[in-house]
Amino acid sequence: MELTFAQQSVAFGYSFILGLFLAVFYGALKFLRYAFSPGKTAVVILDILFMLVWAMSVFFFSLAYLMGFIRLHVIAGSVAGFLLYRLTAGRLLFRIYSPVIRFIKRILKKILLKLKIFANYLLKIVGKVLYNISRKK
């Protein structure tokens, strides 16, 4: 059974939307990478995870809409949707959240420094108390 042009056109449109959703997922992974600054190994693992998710999405999409046929226009549609999002809204969101993340990291660094100073102060007090207790015996 052959697919009609209308079915293929609809599949291309839906695959474009699939590409948009995959780009949002990739943006979330990019946000996590930027926020937590993982090492190169974690970046490679996240990229491989994303490629597997993309491949499985295209496969299941083809099963659902194209009776199991994997067509080039489905892959092209998902790539086009991905690129459209990444080159427009993806860049805008990165410009918005990157200064926010840097600001939050700066504040957390200051808070952690204050906590470290406070913990050292408490350790000195505890050390003095324990020293005085041990001297009295």
Side-chain angles (χ1 to χ4, degrees):
M1 180 173 193
E2 188 63 30
L3 297 170
T4 65
F5 180 74
Q7 289 172 322
Q8 292 181 24
S9 299
V10 170
F12 178 79
Y14 286 147
S15 69
F16 188 84
I17 294 169
L18 174 67
L20 292 174
F21 282 114
L22 288 169
V24 170
F25 177 65
Y26 183 78
L29 290 177
K30 186 176 178 182
F31 175 81
L32 291 175
R33 282 196 313 236
Y34 190 74
F36 297 111
S37 303
K40 290 182 181 180
T41 306
V43 171
V44 168
I45 290 171
L46 287 175
D47 283 347
I48 290 172
L49 170 73
F50 176 72
M51 287 185 274
L52 289 173
V53 167
W54 191 322
M56 290 180 62
S57 298
V58 169
F59 175 72
F60 287 125
F61 177 84
S62 295
L63 282 177
Y65 288 102
L66 298 172
M67 298 178 291
F69 295 111
I70 296 178
R71 302 289 178 140
L72 187 60
H73 66 274
V74 171
I75 296 170
S78 65
V79 169
F82 180 83
L83 289 176
L84 177 73
Y85 178 84
R86 293 289 300 140
L87 297 176
T88 56
R91 285 187 179 180
L92 177 66
L93 287 175
F94 183 74
R95 288 185 181 173
I96 292 171
Y97 72 68
S98 63
V100 171
I101 290 173
R102 282 193 302 259
F103 177 72
I104 291 172
K105 281 183 178 181
R106 244 181 310 168
I107 289 176
L108 286 176
K109 188 182 270 188
K110 288 179 182 179
I111 290 171
L112 289 175
L113 181 65
K114 299 284 185 185
L115 285 174
K116 184 178 177 182
I117 292 170
F118 182 68
N120 285 336
Y121 176 72
L122 284 178
L123 286 174
K124 285 180 184 177
I125 292 174
V126 169
K128 287 179 183 178
V129 168
L130 291 176
Y131 176 75
N132 289 334
I133 289 174
S134 68
R135 261 186 41 187
K136 289 183 180 181
K137 288 183 180 183

